[in-house]
Amino acid sequence: MALAWEQITVDAFDPFALGRWWAEALGWVVVDETEEIIEIRPEPDRMPGLLFVPVPEGKAVKNRLHPDFRPDDQEAEVARLLSLGARRADPVQDGQHWVTLFDPEGNEFCVLSAPKS
């Protein structure tokens, strides 16, 4: 039995704004958009994707699952994401190799430092 990872579903107060924000942040493309949902993927035929669906309530507690990203230049990527509308979750601690950010609806994600060679 094969199991293919198709997408992660993200509850959102405004799925279209959040989906477009993540598409810009990741450099992904919108592959489906209806009156209720928006789906983005790295490329039209490449999975997994992110599917944003509407929910009436806002985020209330810390995510149980969040993505980690490892760019070539952590400082530049954090600055770029902040300029798109992300917010810092906490100040960076000494020795910490990640920066935790919030997307526009408060979902946590981390930007890791470059791998050590």
Side-chain angles (χ1 to χ4, degrees), residues 12-76:
F13 182 76
D14 184 344
F16 305 105
L18 192 59
R20 286 186 195 99
W21 187 88
W22 276 105
E24 185 172 359
L26 296 171
W28 287 15
V29 296
V30 174
V31 295
D32 191 17
E33 188 170 357
T34 69
E35 291 182 10
E36 292 193 5
I37 62 96
I38 184 170
E39 181 182 0
I40 66 171
R41 292 185 186 169
E43 297 170 12
D45 296 325
R46 190 170 146 214
M47 296 185 288
L50 292 172
L51 176 68
F52 298 85
V53 299
V55 295
E57 69 277 356
K59 183 175 170 286
V61 297
K62 184 180 183 299
N63 293 8
R64 299 285 304 258
L65 173 73
H66 74 260
D68 290 343
F69 301 101
R70 188 178 302 276
D72 293 331
D73 183 335
Q74 180 191 45
E75 186 177 331

